[in-house]
Amino acid sequence: MFSLFGRRSGSATKVIAILDIGSGSVAGALGRLDRNGLPELLFSVREDFPVRMDRSAKELATDAAKSTRTVYDKLRKSAALFTAGEKVTPLPIEHIAVFLAAPWSSTSIRTLKLSRTKPFVMSADVLRRMLSDEARSAEAHTKAATRIIERIATGLTLNGYEAREISSVAVQTAEVTLATTLAPEAFIDLLEETLGDAPHGAERTFHSFALPAAHALSLWRPQVRDALIIDAGAEVTEIIALRNGVPAATATIPTGHHLLLRTLKSRTGMGKSEGVTTLKLAEIDGTRLSETMREAIAEATTKWAKELGKAVESLELGGATPTDAYLFADAHALSWFSVALAKAPLYDAATSAPIAPLALTGASLSSLVTIRGVIPDPYLLVELAFTDARLDEGKTLSFSPSRELVLGRARATLSRT
């Protein structure tokens, strides 16, 4: 997915702050990008929202902004008090990357095709013109009250064959897969107000979670060609379908792992902490909670899986729907959603085979970065790997909307197992 177009002079490292804004929590990470190796995770933190039985969109946005401020303050404090050896060595934050999961962002994917009777060279300039033309067209049709926060070319096919880099070979057809992410204008404004002015000289960019998730999978398992990536957030689940290793379509359903906590609260009145503990203990066969709560939890996850199946069918992917699935979810919900996904068949109209889900954890994706301290949840690892490929000018041009739109490529420095 990634090509190298430029290299900057100057420092070989760059300090970046990551904010991961979901529908039930906000996480933050302090990372150091290294031109000569893997990115390094220096510090991480996560702040949960309260679980409400009935939450309005305004309440959700307010909770997100409040938690974002708390997490951001902790990141800045960690940077200011960073210790190398026994000496406090403050780190200057040079870039702030804000990642918005559903419902705070939505990503649409289109294929742009250029065909000529006479062979032409598909150069970087031709690619930029194609993307610029599409950008102008997209802005003209962008819905009111939304903002385009990123446009990324994620795939290139020349004369019908997948291409990893642009070459000087003449072709007759070129197809570019373009992902465009939108976010509500009001929510971006709220975040800008919440975060205030960036540290001196730092840039702030906004991104989806869908594209980092697809990029991380291409690093971690480059052999995966067709698959579903499922991000089961607190209130919303987002599905990213991969075809030939490239994001092909996305969909969302208004159900996430808070459904499980609400189910337990409605049955027993238990709060969030009790509910999380119950979800863990109910997994163990023979326990009292397993006997009394498993049926109710399974009923909720089955409802979630049916909604997810309908959403995948609506994508109309063509051919058999992928049966490999990679699941992101809070630790207490991972196994319950994995079991629900594995029930066959999940979507009868698309395939007769069961889903083969793989629940992703921080440990399973730890090879993407160098970790200093405790391994965090997988979300921050995915996003740090993405910033390493996209936002370190020492390796590639930036993909922020104000800069050039070019392809990128998986880092050759990654150690895979």
Coordinates of all heavy atoms in Angstrom, one line a residue, residues 224-309:
V224 N -2.7 -11.5 3.8 CA -4.2 -11.5 3.8 C -4.7 -10.6 2.7 O -4.3 -9.5 2.5 CB -4.7 -10.9 5.2 CG1 -6.2 -10.6 5.1 CG2 -4.3 -11.8 6.3
R225 N -5.6 -11.1 1.9 CA -6.0 -10.4 0.7 C -7.5 -10.0 0.8 O -7.9 -8.9 0.6 CB -5.9 -11.3 -0.6 CG -4.5 -11.9 -0.8 CD -3.4 -10.8 -0.8 NE -3.6 -9.9 -2.0 CZ -3.1 -8.7 -2.1 NH1 -2.4 -8.2 -1.1 NH2 -3.2 -8.0 -3.2
D226 N -8.4 -11.0 1.2 CA -9.8 -10.7 1.4 C -10.2 -11.0 2.9 O -10.0 -12.1 3.4 CB -10.6 -11.6 0.5 CG -10.4 -11.3 -1.0 OD1 -9.9 -10.2 -1.3 OD2 -10.7 -12.2 -1.8
A227 N -10.7 -9.9 3.5 CA -11.1 -10.1 4.9 C -12.0 -9.0 5.4 O -12.2 -8.0 4.7 CB -9.8 -10.1 5.8
L228 N -12.6 -9.2 6.6 CA -13.4 -8.1 7.2 C -12.6 -7.7 8.4 O -12.1 -8.5 9.2 CB -14.7 -8.7 7.7 CG -15.7 -9.2 6.6 CD1 -16.9 -9.8 7.2 CD2 -16.0 -8.1 5.6
I229 N -12.5 -6.4 8.6 CA -12.0 -5.8 9.9 C -13.2 -5.2 10.6 O -13.9 -4.4 10.0 CB -11.0 -4.7 9.6 CG1 -9.8 -5.3 8.8 CG2 -10.5 -4.1 10.9 CD1 -8.8 -4.2 8.4
I230 N -13.4 -5.6 11.8 CA -14.6 -5.2 12.6 C -14.1 -4.5 13.8 O -13.4 -5.1 14.7 CB -15.4 -6.5 13.0 CG1 -15.9 -7.2 11.7 CG2 -16.6 -6.1 13.8 CD1 -16.4 -8.6 11.9
D231 N -14.5 -3.3 14.0 CA -14.2 -2.5 15.2 C -15.5 -2.3 16.0 O -16.4 -1.5 15.7 CB -13.7 -1.1 14.8 CG -13.5 -0.2 16.0 OD1 -13.4 -0.7 17.1 OD2 -13.5 1.1 15.7
A232 N -15.6 -3.1 17.0 CA -16.8 -3.1 17.8 C -16.7 -2.1 18.9 O -16.2 -2.4 20.0 CB -17.1 -4.5 18.4
G233 N -17.0 -0.9 18.6 CA -16.9 0.2 19.6 C -17.9 0.1 20.7 O -18.7 -0.8 20.7
A234 N -18.0 1.1 21.6 CA -19.0 1.1 22.7 C -20.4 1.2 22.2 O -21.3 0.4 22.5 CB -18.7 2.2 23.7
E235 N -20.6 2.2 21.3 CA -22.0 2.4 20.8 C -22.2 2.1 19.3 O -23.3 1.9 18.9 CB -22.3 3.9 21.0 CG -22.1 4.5 22.4 CD -23.2 3.9 23.4 OE1 -24.1 3.3 22.9 OE2 -23.1 4.2 24.6
V236 N -21.1 2.0 18.6 CA -21.2 1.8 17.1 C -20.1 0.8 16.7 O -19.0 0.7 17.2 CB -20.9 3.1 16.4 CG1 -20.9 2.9 14.9 CG2 -21.9 4.2 16.8
T237 N -20.5 -0.1 15.8 CA -19.5 -1.0 15.2 C -19.3 -0.7 13.7 O -20.2 -0.4 13.0 CB -20.1 -2.5 15.2 OG1 -20.2 -2.9 16.6 CG2 -19.1 -3.4 14.5
E238 N -18.0 -0.6 13.4 CA -17.6 -0.3 12.0 C -17.0 -1.5 11.3 O -16.2 -2.2 11.9 CB -16.6 0.9 12.0 CG -16.3 1.4 10.5 CD -15.6 2.7 10.5 OE1 -15.0 3.1 11.5 OE2 -15.6 3.4 9.5
I239 N -17.4 -1.7 10.1 CA -16.9 -2.8 9.3 C -16.1 -2.3 8.1 O -16.6 -1.4 7.4 CB -18.0 -3.7 8.8 CG1 -19.0 -4.2 9.9 CG2 -17.5 -5.0 8.1 CD1 -20.3 -3.5 9.9
I240 N -14.9 -2.8 7.9 CA -14.1 -2.5 6.8 C -13.8 -3.8 6.0 O -13.3 -4.7 6.5 CB -12.7 -1.9 7.2 CG1 -12.9 -0.7 8.1 CG2 -11.9 -1.5 5.9 CD1 -12.7 -0.9 9.5
A241 N -14.2 -3.8 4.7 CA -14.0 -5.0 3.9 C -12.8 -4.8 3.0 O -12.6 -3.7 2.4 CB -15.3 -5.2 3.0
L242 N -11.9 -5.8 3.0 CA -10.7 -5.7 2.2 C -10.9 -6.6 1.0 O -11.4 -7.8 1.1 CB -9.5 -6.2 3.0 CG -9.1 -5.5 4.3 CD1 -7.8 -6.1 4.8 CD2 -8.9 -4.0 4.0
R243 N -10.5 -6.1 -0.2 CA -10.4 -6.9 -1.4 C -9.0 -6.8 -2.0 O -8.6 -5.7 -2.2 CB -11.5 -6.5 -2.4 CG -12.9 -6.9 -2.1 CD -13.0 -8.4 -2.2 NE -14.4 -8.8 -2.3 CZ -14.8 -10.1 -2.0 NH1 -13.9 -11.0 -1.6 NH2 -16.1 -10.4 -2.1
N244 N -8.4 -7.9 -2.2 CA -7.0 -7.9 -2.7 C -6.1 -7.0 -1.9 O -5.2 -6.3 -2.4 CB -7.0 -7.4 -4.2 CG -7.7 -8.3 -5.1 OD1 -7.6 -9.5 -5.0 ND2 -8.5 -7.8 -6.0
G245 N -6.3 -7.1 -0.6 CA -5.4 -6.4 0.3 C -5.7 -4.9 0.5 O -5.0 -4.2 1.2
V246 N -6.7 -4.4 -0.2 CA -7.0 -2.9 -0.2 C -8.5 -2.7 0.4 O -9.4 -3.5 0.0 CB -7.0 -2.4 -1.6 CG1 -7.4 -0.9 -1.7 CG2 -5.5 -2.5 -2.1
P247 N -8.7 -1.7 1.2 CA -10.0 -1.4 1.7 C -10.9 -1.2 0.5 O -10.6 -0.4 -0.4 CB -9.8 -0.1 2.5 CG -8.4 -0.1 2.9 CD -7.7 -0.8 1.8
A248 N -12.1 -1.9 0.5 CA -13.0 -1.8 -0.7 C -14.3 -1.2 -0.3 O -15.0 -0.6 -1.2 CB -13.2 -3.2 -1.2
A249 N -14.7 -1.3 1.0 CA -16.0 -0.7 1.4 C -16.1 -0.7 2.9 O -15.4 -1.4 3.6 CB -17.2 -1.6 0.8
T250 N -17.0 0.2 3.4 CA -17.2 0.3 4.9 C -18.7 0.4 5.2 O -19.5 0.8 4.3 CB -16.5 1.5 5.5 OG1 -17.1 2.7 4.9 CG2 -15.0 1.5 5.2
A251 N -19.0 0.0 6.4 CA -20.4 0.1 6.8 C -20.4 0.2 8.4 O -19.4 -0.1 9.0 CB -21.2 -1.1 6.4
T252 N -21.5 0.7 8.9 CA -21.6 0.8 10.4 C -22.9 0.3 10.8 O -23.9 0.3 10.1 CB -21.4 2.2 10.9 OG1 -22.4 3.1 10.3 CG2 -20.0 2.8 10.6
I253 N -23.0 -0.2 12.1 CA -24.3 -0.5 12.7 C -24.3 0.2 14.1 O -23.2 0.4 14.7 CB -24.5 -2.0 12.9 CG1 -23.4 -2.6 13.8 CG2 -24.5 -2.7 11.6 CD1 -23.6 -4.1 14.2
P254 N -25.5 0.7 14.5 CA -25.6 1.5 15.8 C -25.6 0.6 17.0 O -26.4 0.8 17.9 CB -26.9 2.2 15.6 CG -27.7 1.3 14.8 CD -26.8 0.6 13.8
T255 N -24.7 -0.4 17.1 CA -24.7 -1.3 18.2 C -23.2 -1.6 18.5 O -22.4 -1.9 17.6 CB -25.4 -2.6 17.9 OG1 -26.7 -2.3 17.5 CG2 -25.5 -3.5 19.2
G256 N -22.9 -1.6 19.8 CA -21.5 -2.0 20.2 C -21.5 -2.7 21.5 O -22.5 -3.2 22.0
H257 N -20.3 -2.7 22.2 CA -20.2 -3.5 23.4 C -21.0 -3.0 24.6 O -21.2 -3.7 25.6 CB -18.7 -3.8 23.7 CG -18.0 -2.6 24.1 ND1 -18.0 -2.0 25.3 CD2 -17.0 -1.9 23.4 CE1 -17.2 -1.0 25.4 NE2 -16.6 -0.9 24.2
H258 N -21.4 -1.7 24.6 CA -22.2 -1.2 25.6 C -23.6 -1.9 25.7 O -24.3 -1.9 26.7 CB -22.4 0.3 25.5 CG -21.3 1.1 26.1 ND1 -21.3 2.5 26.2 CD2 -20.1 0.7 26.7 CE1 -20.2 2.9 26.8 NE2 -19.5 1.8 27.1
L259 N -24.0 -2.5 24.6 CA -25.2 -3.4 24.5 C -25.1 -4.4 25.6 O -26.1 -4.7 26.3 CB -25.4 -4.0 23.2 CG -26.5 -5.0 23.0 CD1 -27.8 -4.4 23.2 CD2 -26.4 -5.8 21.7
L260 N -23.9 -5.0 25.8 CA -23.8 -6.1 26.8 C -23.9 -5.5 28.2 O -24.6 -6.1 29.0 CB -22.4 -6.8 26.6 CG -22.0 -7.2 25.2 CD1 -20.7 -8.0 25.3 CD2 -23.1 -8.1 24.6
L261 N -23.3 -4.4 28.5 CA -23.4 -3.8 29.8 C -24.9 -3.3 30.1 O -25.3 -3.4 31.2 CB -22.5 -2.6 29.9 CG -21.0 -3.0 29.7 CD1 -20.1 -1.7 29.8 CD2 -20.5 -3.9 30.8
R262 N -25.5 -2.8 29.1 CA -26.9 -2.4 29.3 C -27.8 -3.6 29.5 O -28.8 -3.5 30.3 CB -27.4 -1.6 28.0 CG -26.8 -0.2 27.9 CD -27.5 0.6 26.8 NE -26.8 1.9 26.7 CZ -26.0 2.2 25.7 NH1 -25.7 1.3 24.8 NH2 -25.4 3.4 25.6
T263 N -27.5 -4.7 28.8 CA -28.3 -5.9 29.0 C -28.2 -6.4 30.5 O -29.2 -6.7 31.1 CB -27.8 -7.0 28.1 OG1 -28.0 -6.6 26.7 CG2 -28.5 -8.3 28.4
L264 N -27.0 -6.4 31.0 CA -26.8 -6.8 32.4 C -27.4 -5.8 33.4 O -28.0 -6.2 34.4 CB -25.3 -6.9 32.7 CG -24.5 -8.0 31.9 CD1 -23.0 -7.9 32.2 CD2 -25.1 -9.4 32.3
K265 N -27.3 -4.5 33.1 CA -27.9 -3.5 34.0 C -29.5 -3.7 34.0 O -30.1 -3.6 35.1 CB -27.6 -2.1 33.5 CG -28.0 -1.0 34.5 CD -27.5 0.3 34.1 CE -27.9 1.4 35.1 NZ -27.5 1.2 36.4
S266 N -30.1 -3.9 32.8 CA -31.5 -4.0 32.8 C -32.0 -5.3 33.5 O -33.1 -5.3 34.0 CB -32.0 -4.1 31.3 OG -31.5 -5.2 30.6
R267 N -31.1 -6.4 33.5 CA -31.5 -7.6 34.1 C -31.3 -7.6 35.6 O -32.1 -8.2 36.4 CB -30.7 -8.8 33.5 CG -31.0 -9.1 32.0 CD -32.3 -9.7 31.8 NE -32.5 -10.0 30.4 CZ -32.4 -11.2 29.9 NH1 -32.1 -12.2 30.7 NH2 -32.6 -11.4 28.6
T268 N -30.2 -6.9 36.0 CA -29.8 -7.1 37.5 C -29.6 -5.7 38.1 O -29.4 -5.7 39.4 CB -28.5 -7.9 37.6 OG1 -27.4 -7.1 36.9 CG2 -28.6 -9.2 36.9
G269 N -29.5 -4.6 37.3 CA -29.2 -3.3 37.9 C -27.8 -3.0 38.2 O -27.4 -2.0 38.7
M270 N -26.9 -3.9 37.8 CA -25.4 -3.8 38.1 C -24.8 -2.6 37.2 O -25.2 -2.4 36.1 CB -24.7 -5.1 37.8 CG -24.6 -5.6 36.4 SD -23.7 -7.1 36.2 CE -24.5 -8.2 37.3
G271 N -23.9 -1.9 37.8 CA -23.2 -0.8 37.2 C -22.1 -1.3 36.2 O -21.9 -2.5 36.0
K272 N -21.3 -0.4 35.7 CA -20.3 -0.7 34.7 C -19.3 -1.6 35.2 O -18.9 -2.7 34.6 CB -19.7 0.5 34.1 CG -18.6 0.2 33.0 CD -18.1 1.5 32.4 CE -17.0 1.1 31.4 NZ -16.4 2.3 30.7
S273 N -18.7 -1.3 36.3 CA -17.6 -2.1 36.9 C -18.0 -3.5 37.2 O -17.3 -4.5 36.9 CB -16.9 -1.5 38.1 OG -17.9 -1.3 39.1
E274 N -19.2 -3.6 37.8 CA -19.8 -5.0 38.0 C -20.1 -5.7 36.7 O -19.8 -6.9 36.6 CB -21.1 -4.9 38.8 CG -20.9 -4.3 40.2 CD -22.3 -4.1 40.9 OE1 -23.0 -3.2 40.5 OE2 -22.6 -4.9 41.8
G275 N -20.6 -5.0 35.7 CA -20.9 -5.6 34.5 C -19.6 -6.1 33.8 O -19.6 -7.2 33.2
V276 N -18.5 -5.3 33.8 CA -17.3 -5.8 33.2 C -16.8 -7.1 33.9 O -16.4 -8.0 33.2 CB -16.2 -4.7 33.2 CG1 -14.9 -5.2 32.9 CG2 -16.6 -3.5 32.3
T277 N -16.8 -7.1 35.2 CA -16.4 -8.3 35.9 C -17.3 -9.5 35.6 O -16.8 -10.6 35.4 CB -16.5 -8.0 37.5 OG1 -15.6 -6.9 37.8 CG2 -16.0 -9.2 38.2
T278 N -18.6 -9.2 35.5 CA -19.5 -10.3 35.2 C -19.2 -10.9 33.8 O -19.3 -12.1 33.6 CB -21.0 -9.8 35.2 OG1 -21.3 -9.4 36.6 CG2 -22.0 -10.9 34.8
L279 N -18.9 -10.0 32.8 CA -18.6 -10.5 31.5 C -17.4 -11.4 31.5 O -17.3 -12.4 30.7 CB -18.4 -9.4 30.5 CG -19.7 -8.5 30.1 CD1 -19.3 -7.3 29.3 CD2 -20.6 -9.4 29.3
K280 N -16.4 -11.1 32.3 CA -15.2 -11.9 32.4 C -15.5 -13.3 33.1 O -15.1 -14.3 32.6 CB -14.1 -11.2 33.2 CG -13.6 -9.9 32.4 CD -12.6 -9.2 33.3 CE -12.1 -7.9 32.6 NZ -11.1 -7.2 33.4
L281 N -16.2 -13.2 34.2 CA -16.5 -14.4 35.0 C -17.5 -15.4 34.3 O -17.4 -16.6 34.4 CB -17.0 -14.1 36.4 CG -16.0 -13.3 37.3 CD1 -16.6 -13.0 38.6 CD2 -14.8 -14.2 37.5
A282 N -18.4 -14.8 33.5 CA -19.4 -15.6 32.9 C -18.8 -16.4 31.7 O -19.5 -17.4 31.3 CB -20.5 -14.7 32.3
E283 N -17.6 -16.1 31.3 CA -16.9 -16.9 30.3 C -16.5 -18.3 30.8 O -16.3 -19.2 30.1 CB -15.7 -16.2 29.8 CG -16.0 -14.9 29.0 CD -14.7 -14.3 28.6 OE1 -13.7 -15.0 28.3 OE2 -14.6 -13.0 28.5
I284 N -16.3 -18.4 32.2 CA -15.8 -19.6 32.8 C -16.9 -20.6 33.0 O -17.9 -20.3 33.8 CB -15.1 -19.2 34.1 CG1 -14.0 -18.1 33.9 CG2 -14.5 -20.5 34.7 CD1 -13.4 -17.6 35.1
D285 N -16.8 -21.7 32.4 CA -17.8 -22.8 32.6 C -17.9 -23.2 34.1 O -16.9 -23.3 34.7 CB -17.5 -24.0 31.7 CG -17.6 -23.7 30.2 OD1 -18.5 -22.9 29.9 OD2 -16.9 -24.3 29.5
G286 N -19.1 -23.4 34.5 CA -19.3 -23.9 35.8 C -19.5 -22.9 36.9 O -19.8 -23.2 38.1
T287 N -19.2 -21.6 36.6 CA -19.4 -20.6 37.6 C -20.9 -20.2 37.7 O -21.7 -20.4 36.8 CB -18.5 -19.3 37.3 OG1 -19.0 -18.8 36.0 CG2 -17.1 -19.7 37.1
R288 N -21.2 -19.6 38.9 CA -22.6 -19.2 39.1 C -23.0 -18.2 38.0 O -24.1 -18.2 37.5 CB -22.8 -18.6 40.5 CG -24.2 -18.1 40.8 CD -24.3 -17.5 42.2 NE -23.4 -16.3 42.3 CZ -23.8 -15.1 41.9 NH1 -25.0 -14.9 41.3 NH2 -23.0 -14.1 42.0
L289 N -22.1 -17.2 37.7 CA -22.5 -16.2 36.7 C -22.6 -16.8 35.3 O -23.4 -16.3 34.5 CB -21.4 -15.1 36.7 CG -21.4 -14.2 37.9 CD1 -20.3 -13.2 37.9 CD2 -22.7 -13.4 38.0
S290 N -21.8 -17.8 35.0 CA -22.0 -18.5 33.8 C -23.3 -19.1 33.6 O -24.0 -19.0 32.6 CB -20.9 -19.6 33.6 OG -21.1 -20.3 32.4
E291 N -23.8 -19.7 34.7 CA -25.1 -20.3 34.7 C -26.3 -19.3 34.6 O -27.3 -19.6 33.9 CB -25.3 -21.2 35.9 CG -24.3 -22.4 35.9 CD -24.4 -23.1 37.3 OE1 -25.1 -22.7 38.2 OE2 -23.6 -24.1 37.4
T292 N -26.1 -18.2 35.2 CA -27.2 -17.2 35.3 C -27.2 -16.1 34.3 O -28.3 -15.6 33.9 CB -27.2 -16.5 36.7 OG1 -26.0 -15.9 36.9 CG2 -27.5 -17.6 37.8
M293 N -26.0 -15.8 33.8 CA -25.9 -14.6 32.9 C -25.6 -15.0 31.4 O -25.8 -14.2 30.5 CB -24.9 -13.7 33.4 CG -25.2 -13.0 34.7 SD -26.5 -11.7 34.5 CE -27.9 -12.5 35.3
R294 N -25.0 -16.2 31.2 CA -24.5 -16.5 29.8 C -25.6 -16.4 28.8 O -25.4 -15.9 27.7 CB -23.9 -17.9 29.8 CG -23.3 -18.3 28.5 CD -22.5 -19.5 28.5 NE -21.3 -19.4 29.2 CZ -20.3 -20.3 29.2 NH1 -20.5 -21.5 28.6 NH2 -19.2 -20.1 29.9
E295 N -26.8 -16.9 29.1 CA -27.9 -16.9 28.1 C -28.2 -15.4 27.7 O -28.4 -15.2 26.5 CB -29.1 -17.6 28.6 CG -30.2 -17.7 27.6 CD -31.4 -18.5 28.1 OE1 -31.3 -19.2 29.2 OE2 -32.5 -18.4 27.5
A296 N -28.3 -14.5 28.7 CA -28.7 -13.1 28.4 C -27.6 -12.5 27.5 O -27.9 -11.7 26.6 CB -28.9 -12.4 29.7
I297 N -26.3 -12.7 27.9 CA -25.2 -12.1 27.1 C -25.2 -12.7 25.7 O -25.0 -11.9 24.7 CB -23.9 -12.4 27.8 CG1 -23.9 -11.8 29.2 CG2 -22.7 -11.9 27.0 CD1 -22.7 -12.2 30.1
A298 N -25.4 -14.0 25.6 CA -25.4 -14.6 24.2 C -26.5 -14.1 23.4 O -26.4 -13.9 22.2 CB -25.5 -16.1 24.4
E299 N -27.6 -13.8 24.0 CA -28.8 -13.2 23.2 C -28.4 -11.9 22.7 O -28.7 -11.5 21.5 CB -30.0 -13.1 24.2 CG -31.2 -12.7 23.5 CD -32.4 -12.6 24.5 OE1 -32.6 -13.6 25.3 OE2 -33.1 -11.6 24.5
A300 N -27.7 -11.1 23.5 CA -27.3 -9.7 23.1 C -26.3 -9.8 21.9 O -26.4 -9.0 21.0 CB -26.8 -8.9 24.2
T301 N -25.3 -10.7 22.1 CA -24.3 -10.8 21.0 C -24.8 -11.3 19.7 O -24.4 -11.0 18.6 CB -23.1 -11.6 21.5 OG1 -23.5 -12.9 21.9 CG2 -22.4 -11.0 22.7
T302 N -25.8 -12.2 19.8 CA -26.5 -12.8 18.6 C -27.2 -11.7 17.9 O -27.1 -11.6 16.6 CB -27.4 -13.9 19.0 OG1 -26.7 -15.0 19.6 CG2 -28.1 -14.4 17.8
K303 N -27.8 -10.8 18.6 CA -28.5 -9.6 18.0 C -27.5 -8.7 17.3 O -27.7 -8.3 16.2 CB -29.2 -8.8 19.1 CG -29.9 -7.5 18.6 CD -30.5 -6.7 19.7 CE -31.0 -5.4 19.2 NZ -31.6 -4.6 20.4
W304 N -26.4 -8.5 17.9 CA -25.3 -7.7 17.3 C -24.8 -8.4 16.0 O -24.6 -7.7 15.0 CB -24.1 -7.6 18.3 CG -22.9 -7.0 17.8 CD1 -22.6 -5.7 17.6 CD2 -21.7 -7.7 17.4 NE1 -21.3 -5.6 17.1 CE2 -20.8 -6.8 16.9 CE3 -21.4 -9.1 17.3 CZ2 -19.5 -7.2 16.5 CZ3 -20.1 -9.5 16.8 CH2 -19.2 -8.5 16.4
A305 N -24.6 -9.7 16.1 CA -24.1 -10.4 14.9 C -25.0 -10.4 13.7 O -24.6 -10.2 12.6 CB -23.7 -11.8 15.3
K306 N -26.3 -10.4 14.0 CA -27.3 -10.4 13.0 C -27.3 -9.0 12.3 O -27.4 -8.9 11.1 CB -28.7 -10.7 13.5 CG -28.9 -12.2 13.8 CD -30.3 -12.5 14.4 CE -30.5 -14.0 14.6 NZ -31.8 -14.2 15.2
E307 N -27.2 -8.0 13.1 CA -27.1 -6.6 12.5 C -25.9 -6.5 11.7 O -25.9 -5.9 10.6 CB -27.1 -5.6 13.6 CG -28.5 -5.4 14.3 CD -28.4 -4.2 15.3 OE1 -27.8 -3.2 15.0 OE2 -28.9 -4.4 16.4
L308 N -24.8 -7.0 12.2 CA -23.5 -6.9 11.4 C -23.6 -7.7 10.1 O -23.2 -7.2 9.1 CB -22.4 -7.5 12.3 CG -21.0 -7.3 11.7 CD1 -20.0 -7.0 12.9 CD2 -20.5 -8.5 11.0
G309 N -24.3 -8.8 10.1 CA -24.4 -9.6 8.9 C -25.2 -8.9 7.8 O -24.8 -8.9 6.6

